[in-house]
Amino acid sequence: NCQQSFQVPATTLIAGMVIDPFWIQKRIGSGILGDIFLAKHLPTDQKVALKALSPVFTEHLPAVEAFIAEANRTLKLDHPNIAKVHELGVLEDCYYLSVEFVEGESLEERLKRGPMREADALKLVLTLARALRHAWERHGLLHGDLKPGNIMIAPDGTAKLLNLGLHQVFMLGADKADITCDAHYLAPERAMQQPISLASDIYALGGMIYQMITGTTPYEGADREELVARHYHDPVPDPRAVDATISDGSARLVASM
């Protein structure tokens, strides 16, 4: 039937595919914007992470335009504690970023073993805060999904901030996808669908400090709705209620963020 309609499938990245100059080796995870692949940059033999924009977003022109604009801004980022974005690529209707591949473990994986020493946690938070300040003051970039899973700790102890600067793409396409930011670190204004700001990232960083020094997130809930409500209505919990050895200074820091 020549009049029968059909949909051409969206182009996707798969293991084994070669997209000059990359050889895709395997899928290693997924983020709020799509799948993440380990690939080899053939001219240099270096490992990179390819982050593909999900078809959910590529079918939405404003999200694609935002992805290209934000990607071009992240290409200018140059900071030792921010994973380097190498290039923006496109294969037919599949958009992707080539990003520095960071060996090691995520902060999320590290925290599964329990809380960190307070001094180590504060040192890490200072490092992350400086990286966020660099992105904001030099390039006007915010994170928007700051959480332990977006922090990598390299074998030499260097912290790397991942997935910075693409929040606008997520916000434009989130209504078309069954994806959400992690509510454990969601600022109250984000829960109310208000625009992201630097304060949103600071709030998320405060929640991460709490978790790093206590081993638990600031709030828990039976479901996402309850958890979001607690961020909005409940007072900031005192980490000393979990561990009395935590310093007053750290408790004040958490409360101030």
Side-chain angles (χ1 to χ4, degrees):
N1 185 352
C2 294
Q3 294 183 342
Q4 183 176 355
S5 63
F6 65 94
Q7 183 175 6
V8 177
T11 305
T12 57
L13 304 186
I14 58 174
M17 180 182 287
V18 175
I19 311 174
D20 189 34
F22 304 107
W23 170 34
I24 301 175
Q25 298 182 317
K26 62 180 179 179
R27 180 180 177 276
I28 56 175
S30 62
I32 60 172
L33 296 181
D35 289 335
I36 305 170
F37 298 86
L38 174 65
K40 181 178 289 187
H41 183 251
L42 295 173
T44 62
D45 207 36
Q46 290 186 334
K47 294 178 180 178
V48 298
L50 291 187
K51 301 189 175 184
L53 187 63
S54 167
V56 169
F57 296 98
T58 58
E59 294 170 358
H60 188 46
L61 182 58
V64 172
E65 293 173 340
F67 179 77
I68 294 172
E70 294 286 273
N72 283 324
R73 293 169 73 193
T74 61
L75 284 167
K76 300 174 184 177
L77 283 170
D78 187 12
H79 190 279
N81 301 110
I82 300 175
K84 177 65 177 174
V85 178
H86 298 304
E87 64 180 89
L88 166 66
V90 59
L91 176 67
E92 297 179 1
D93 55 353
C94 179
Y95 295 82
Y96 62 89
L97 289 177
S98 165
V99 183
E100 173 187 3
F101 178 71
V102 185
E103 303 274 6
E105 67 174 352
S106 69
L107 179 59
E108 180 180 28
E109 293 167 333
R110 164 59 189 85
L111 292 176
K112 290 178 180 178
R113 302 197 300 272
M116 301 170 62
R117 291 179 57 249
E118 186 175 354
D120 292 339
L122 292 174
K123 182 179 179 181
L124 176 56
V125 165
L126 179 60
T127 296
L128 298 175
R130 285 172 172 167
L132 289 168
R133 182 178 67 181
H134 173 86
W136 172 246
E137 292 183 349
R138 299 286 185 88
H139 304 282
L141 288 169
L142 299 170
H143 196 289
D145 189 28
L146 198 58
K147 59 186 178 183
N150 276 330
I151 311 298
M152 287 296 294
I153 311 296
D156 65 358
T158 301
K160 293 277 189 176
L161 186 59
L162 310 180
N163 299 324
L164 192 148
L166 296 173
H167 66 277
Q168 184 179 357
V169 187
F170 170 74
M171 294 303 292
L172 285 169
D175 61 330
K176 301 178 182 300
D178 186 22
I179 49 177
T180 52
C181 292
D182 193 324
H184 285 97
Y185 314 96
L186 192 65
E189 64 270 17
R190 295 291 309 283
M192 299 300 292
Q193 304 299 316
Q194 295 177 13
I196 186 175
S197 67
L198 184 59
S200 307
D201 280 349
I202 293 173
Y203 183 91
L205 189 59
M208 289 169 54
I209 298 173
Y210 184 98
Q211 184 176 5
M212 283 188 271
I213 60 179
T214 66
T216 183
T217 51
Y219 304 105
E220 293 296 336
D223 52 33
R224 180 180 174 83
E225 288 71 23
E226 180 182 340
L227 184 54
V228 167
R230 294 197 64 188
H231 278 284
Y232 194 77
H233 296 292
D234 289 9
V236 177
D238 189 333
R240 293 169 297 186
V242 178
D243 182 352
T245 67
I246 292 173
S247 69
D248 293 346
S250 289
R252 289 194 298 270
L253 180 62
V254 170
S256 70
M257 299 176 75

